[in-house]
Amino acid sequence: MAPLFPESWFAAGVACAESAEYFARCASQAPQRPTRFWRWAAFRDWSEEREELTAEQCRSVYALGEADPDTNLGTAMMCHALLRRRCPPDLRARARGSDRAAVRRTAALR
């Protein structure tokens, strides 16, 4: 089985050994759920633990989403970053030019 999280998630601090082990265990107990389900759950868990993302975390999350091969998961992560109170204006400006309609719409909200 392929790892649940790419190395980029570990490098950005979104995944750690403990969370990767926990979510891999959950995934093994519910094989009918797609990988995206568990990665989104782990991402939301990480985000909620922080209450409010910093500007740098918003940038990291946006970049992870932009690079994710699962377009739906990646778009959701990008939009999540854009909706954070501390999302930097330059990231919102960049997002307005995204090739993803949902990202452009979300960036235009603020």
Side-chain angles (χ1 to χ4, degrees):
M1 179 180 181
L4 195 55
F5 305 103
E7 283 300 317
S8 57
W9 282 48
F10 292 96
V14 174
C16 65
E18 183 182 353
S19 66
E21 183 179 310
Y22 171 76
F23 284 102
R25 197 170 45 251
C26 291
S28 72
Q29 294 172 5
Q32 74 282 8
R33 298 270 189 195
T35 299
R36 141 176 67 197
F37 176 88
W38 298 109
R39 290 175 64 199
W40 177 248
F43 170 72
R44 290 301 306 241
D45 186 59
W46 171 84
S47 179
E48 289 170 5
E49 284 178 358
R50 274 132 198 86
E51 293 184 26
E52 187 58 48
L53 300 184
T54 66
E56 191 53 43
Q57 287 169 329
C58 288
R59 284 188 178 92
S60 292
V61 164
Y62 186 94
L64 287 176
E66 196 170 39
D68 203 283
D70 184 314
T71 305
N72 292 326
L73 174 61
T75 298
M77 292 171 67
M78 294 164 75
C79 290
H80 183 84
L82 294 171
L83 291 171
R84 301 305 97 197
R85 185 172 51 89
R86 293 185 184 150
C87 180
D90 64 300
L91 184 58
R92 284 196 184 103
R94 179 176 151 210
R96 287 185 189 100
S98 173
D99 62 346
R100 303 179 195 200
V103 172
R104 289 192 308 272
R105 285 192 303 271
T106 302
L109 293 174
R110 296 187 179 215

